[in-house]
Amino acid sequence: MARGTALAARGSRSRSVMTLVCAIVHLVGAVQFTFAVFYDYTQVKIPVEVQEMGGGFGGKFVFLTFWDAILQSVYFTVCLINDAAGDHSPNPQSPPLIRRIKDYMFSAFAFPIAMFVAITFWSIMAIDRELVLPKKLDAYFPLWLNHIMHTNIAIFILLEMFLSCRKYPTRKMGLLGLVIFMATYLSWTFVIYYNTNLWVYPVMDKMDWPSRICFLLAMLAFCLILYLVGDYINAKRWGELLHPKKDKAEIPNPDETLPMTDVELKEGSV
């Protein structure tokens, strides 16, 4: 009995420590991404002669990076609200609304979009930085802000994946939300082009129309793959807590359950 009580107390302390660690990660994430959005919007002023997309039609909202920074700031703020007034259990029977919002936001938006922005940015950056972040912008877009926008988003969303449990929605609902989000942004890039005759990202200037369409479809497909990757990782990390195995019913011994024959009954009565 004493050993069981000690194990329960140790488990409770472990859960309390994990809850505290998650809350700290959520707080740091919410503060840094909110500050990055504020600083980028109010302080980063790129002259039109340096970058034509710097402050014209659409402003900062022409960039998916800026959309994602807003998304991450909102998501980690929702996590903080859930830490304070929501539910932290792995598989609650009736999760509160804030917990359901948190779980869906992570699955459909926060994880795939953060990973998409980080992977595509640094991949193209390694090939030719002039296609995504020309060197002439370094004087206006500080290095620390670049890392918050393109590096920390991946680090913090991966920390969130492995530190905090969530229940993924049905694949249909999760993918539907992601498709709507990405289709909205990709449609927005065409609106920008129609009004400015400029593509948001220099890499698209070097393509013809068939290549651009294939490029955008490939980006959408990559996002959907990242959703599936997130679903897989979540199942591997939290599957035992989300779907606890039921104890197998004991199989009765056939010899003990078969009815006794007349001979056995007579022998037993002797």
Side-chain angles (χ1 to χ4, degrees), residues 11 31 42 53-54 63 65 78 105 114 116 130 136 138 144 154 159 180 182 199 209 240-241 260:
V31 170
T42 62
M53 302 304 302
F63 302 111
T65 293
V78 168
M105 281 190 69
F116 174 84
E130 296 299 315
K136 61 186 179 182
D138 288 350
W144 64 264
L159 284 173
I180 291 173
M182 285 301 296
W199 291 106
W209 273 101
E240 292 184 2
L241 294 175
M260 298 179 69

Side-chain angles (χ1 to χ4, degrees), residues 88-107:
H88 306 89
S89 58
N91 194 17
Q93 293 297 321
S94 300
L97 177 62
I98 191 66
R99 170 63 185 271
R100 297 198 299 270
I101 292 173
K102 170 183 173 290
D103 288 0
Y104 187 82
M105 281 190 69
F106 179 93
S107 309

Side-chain angles (χ1 to χ4, degrees), residues 46 48 51-60 62 196:
I46 303 175
V48 175
Q51 184 191 45
E52 293 179 289
M53 302 304 302
F57 179 84
K60 302 292 183 180
V62 301
T196 65

Side-chain angles (χ1 to χ4, degrees), residues 172-237:
K172 177 181 178 180
M173 293 304 298
L175 289 174
L176 178 62
L178 179 57
V179 168
I180 291 173
F181 183 94
M182 285 301 296
T184 301
Y185 178 74
L186 295 179
S187 299
W188 172 232
T189 64
F190 285 95
V191 173
I192 296 166
Y193 179 77
Y194 177 80
N195 284 274
T196 65
N197 202 34
L198 295 169
W199 291 106
V200 177
Y201 302 103
V203 65
M204 297 181 68
D205 281 328
K206 301 182 180 298
M207 300 178 181
D208 56 18
W209 273 101
S211 299
R212 288 189 191 106
I213 298 300
C214 291
F215 176 76
L216 294 176
L217 290 176
M219 294 299 98
L220 177 59
F222 184 42
C223 263
L224 300 183
I225 291 172
L226 287 171
Y227 175 91
L228 299 177
V229 170
D231 194 2
Y232 175 80
I233 295 174
N234 189 71
K236 285 294 183 181
R237 174 67 179 89

Side-chain angles (χ1 to χ4, degrees), residues 34-55:
T34 301
F35 177 74
V37 170
F38 171 78
Y39 187 90
D40 190 16
Y41 190 78
T42 62
Q43 302 300 317
V44 178
K45 306 296 183 182
I46 303 175
V48 175
E49 61 269 18
V50 176
Q51 184 191 45
E52 293 179 289
M53 302 304 302

